[in-house]
């Protein structure tokens, strides 16, 4: 009899078990823990300086963190006053930032499409960046009044240049081979701009938006500080707290303004991550 040798059955592939994650978030631990650790060190150094280095009679010059929280955030009257002024400042800053983004992108597109436009407009964009903002704020008050519109103009002035420069850089950084490919297919100037240059320039544009967001907040505060008319914003409240020697409320207004600028930066950073994923870079 012939022996029949049976082939061994193929073993079913075992399902790969995903390692259990100890970190519950999708973000890398260092991106969360590092800024939290630095924040804790700053607060500890601040508290130590206030309690140990500053005499109690002069502690109003550098109040402790707990005093700032108690007087600036937990006190209902101070909190309402600061948040109302902050909202007025944010409205001016967002309006100015939106106008700066639209104007900056339009100017950059025009300069990328015609060399004569770049030679004509770019020097004035540089001049706009170098003008001392504190010197022209009174002039804007004389020419346009001291209300909402003048403050928006100040925000546009200080936040326009980063949008122009970054957008122009992105539009001009497209590889020559990609331009040759569009030329080979007979693409028009508008098709080249819409389908090649603008998508390629998006990361650089958003980098400019990040910078301009913080600049718009600063411009809104500076304009409010000098105009002193119309609806009060953070700038005027800072001056009022300075005159009262209310350092706790003053620091609260400053910290909340910085937090708004940081939130704008994070929002544009999330948008940049979304754009990078769409481009396959992440």
């Amino acid at each position: 009899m012939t022996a029949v040798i049976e082939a061994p059955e193929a073993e079913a592939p075992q399902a790969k078990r995903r390692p259990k994650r100890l970190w519950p978030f999708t973000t890398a631990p260092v991106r969360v823990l590092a800024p939290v650790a630095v924040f804790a060190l700053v607060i500890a150094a601040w508290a130590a300086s206030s309690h140990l280095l500053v005499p109690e009679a002069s502690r109003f010059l550098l109040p402790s963190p707990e005093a700032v929280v108690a007087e600036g955030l937990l006190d209902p009257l101070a909190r309402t006053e600061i948040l109302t002024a902050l909202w007025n400042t944010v409205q001016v800053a967002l309006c100015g930032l939106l106008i700066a983004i639209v104007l900056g992108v339009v100017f950059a597109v025009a300069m990328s499409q015609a060399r004569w436009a770049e030679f004509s407009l770019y020097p004035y964009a540089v001049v706009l960046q170098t003008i001392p903002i504190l010197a022209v704020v009174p002039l804007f008050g004389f020419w346009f009044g001291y209300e909402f519109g003048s403050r928006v103009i100040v925000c546009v002035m200080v936040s326009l240049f980063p949008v122009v420069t970054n957008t122009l850089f992105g539009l001009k950084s497209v590889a020559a081979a990609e331009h040759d490919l569009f030329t080979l297919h007979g693409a028009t100037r508008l098709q080249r701009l819409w389908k090649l240059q603008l998508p390629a320039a998006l990361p650089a544009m958003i980098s400019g938006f990040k910078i301009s967001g913080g600049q718009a907040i600063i411009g809104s505060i500076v304009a409010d500080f000098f105009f002193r008319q119309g609806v009060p914003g953070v700038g005027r409240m800072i001056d009022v707290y300075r005159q009262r020697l209310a350092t706790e409320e003053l620091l609260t207004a400053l910290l909340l303004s910085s937090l708004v600028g940081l939130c704008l930066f994070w929002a544009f950073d999330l948008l940049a991550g979304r754009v990078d994923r769409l481009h396959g870079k992440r």
Side-chain angles (χ1 to χ4, degrees):
M1 296 179 63
T2 305
V4 179
I5 301 177
E6 297 181 356
E9 297 180 357
E11 296 182 359
Q14 295 182 354
K16 295 182 179 180
R17 295 181 179 179
R18 295 181 179 179
K20 188 176 180 181
R21 293 194 313 174
L22 299 179
W23 181 254
F25 307 106
T26 57
T27 308
V30 67
R31 297 194 63 180
V32 177
L33 297 179
V36 170
V38 172
F39 178 77
L41 289 176
V42 170
I43 295 299
W46 177 7
S49 300
S50 177
H51 288 290
L52 301 178
L53 300 181
V54 180
E56 187 174 357
S58 303
R59 196 160 293 169
F60 67 93
L61 298 174
L62 182 63
S64 61
E66 59 270 20
V68 171
V69 172
E71 298 292 335
L73 291 177
L74 299 183
D75 182 78
L77 294 178
R79 182 177 64 245
T80 303
E81 188 177 54
I82 293 173
L83 292 180
T84 302
L86 182 64
W87 172 240
N88 297 329
T89 297
V90 169
Q91 292 182 76
V92 174
L94 291 180
C95 186
L97 177 61
L98 180 60
I99 295 174
I101 288 175
V102 173
L103 291 179
V105 172
V106 170
F107 288 157
V109 168
M111 287 187 284
S112 69
Q113 299 303 302
R115 297 288 291 176
W116 65 265
E118 182 178 358
F119 295 150
S120 303
L121 297 177
Y122 195 76
Y124 294 101
V126 176
V127 170
L128 187 68
Q129 178 68 12
T130 58
I131 293 177
I133 186 63
L134 298 181
V136 298
V137 165
L139 293 177
F140 289 158
F142 297 153
W143 296 339
F144 308 109
Y146 300 91
E147 301 297 331
F148 186 86
S150 297
R151 303 180 190 194
V152 170
I153 293 175
V154 174
C155 293
V156 172
M157 181 178 175
V158 300
S159 57
L160 182 63
F161 186 74
V163 178
V164 173
T165 53
N166 282 271
T167 303
L168 183 61
F169 170 77
L171 292 171
K172 296 176 66 175
S173 63
V174 181
E178 297 181 356
H179 277 292
D180 294 340
L181 181 62
F182 271 68
T183 303
L184 182 64
H185 286 82
T188 64
R189 183 185 293 268
L190 183 60
Q191 290 174 331
R192 188 189 303 268
L193 172 66
W194 186 253
K195 296 185 178 181
L196 176 62
Q197 291 178 284
L198 283 176
L202 274 178
M205 292 168 61
I206 297 174
S207 297
F209 299 165
K210 291 180 185 179
I211 302 172
S212 296
Q215 297 282 47
I217 295 293
I218 295 174
S220 179
I221 294 176
V222 169
D224 183 69
F225 185 87
F226 278 89
F227 287 157
R228 301 176 183 274
Q229 294 185 26
V231 180
V234 171
R236 199 187 311 177
M237 297 312 303
I238 288 175
D239 189 46
V240 170
Y241 295 145
R242 177 188 62 84
Q243 296 175 6
R244 296 179 188 170
L245 295 180
T247 317
E248 294 85 357
E249 290 86 347
L250 192 153
L251 287 175
T252 302
L254 290 176
L255 292 175
L256 290 180
S257 301
S258 301
L259 182 60
V260 171
L262 188 61
C263 289
L264 282 175
F265 183 90
W266 283 339
F268 285 123
D269 193 52
L270 291 175
L271 181 60
R274 177 64 176 171
V275 170
D276 286 345
R277 284 192 292 271
L278 290 177
H279 280 259
K281 294 181 180 180
R282 291 186 181 177

